[in-house]
Amino acid sequence: VQLQASGGGLVQAGGSLRLSCAASGRSLSRYTVGWIRQSPGKEREFVAAIAWSGTRFYADSVKGRFTISRDNAKNTVYLQMNSLKPEDTGNYYCAGNPSGSYYVPNDYNDWGQGTQVTVSS
């Protein structure tokens, strides 16, 4: 499977962005996808995931602000990010096929390239 993330950019605090993760080589309707972010000098951090069943999981830091969704017809997963904060800044990766916990970045087996999100104060 190939995962292609896009949609990052520069936004002011309080603004919104929508990230996309387009997949090829496999149907996302039977595949779990997560968003993982990494800031300079920090460990990779789980953000959100959507299981193949449609169940959604969020990090506490983004609950109520971010929404993960999936469009099976477009084979794409989205991350709608609202009320962005400077601490949301980072390189956002879409990843799939976790072999363990959805919340553990290292448990994901398939990775796309990142898309940079920068939130200015």
Side-chain angles (χ1 to χ4, degrees), residues 18-101:
R18 188 177 79 158
L19 305 184
S20 299
C21 176
S24 58
R26 183 166 182 171
S27 171
L28 292 186
S29 65
R30 302 292 293 180
Y31 186 76
T32 295
V33 174
W35 286 97
I36 310 295
R37 68 187 178 192
Q38 188 166 24
S39 302
K42 293 186 177 181
E43 301 270 329
R44 287 188 294 188
E45 176 187 18
F46 168 81
V47 176
I50 183 165
W52 63 268
S53 62
T55 304
R56 304 171 190 187
F57 305 85
Y58 296 97
D60 288 343
S61 59
V62 307
K63 278 181 185 174
R65 300 189 298 122
F66 291 10
T67 302
I68 190 169
S69 61
R70 184 177 65 214
D71 185 331
N72 289 337
K74 295 183 178 180
N75 217 33
T76 300
V77 167
Y78 301 99
L79 185 68
Q80 178 66 44
M81 306 187 295
N82 299 329
S83 302
L84 282 161
K85 303 176 181 180
E87 51 263 44
D88 294 319
T89 294
N91 207 1
Y92 282 67
Y93 298 87
C94 61
N97 192 25
S99 53
S101 170

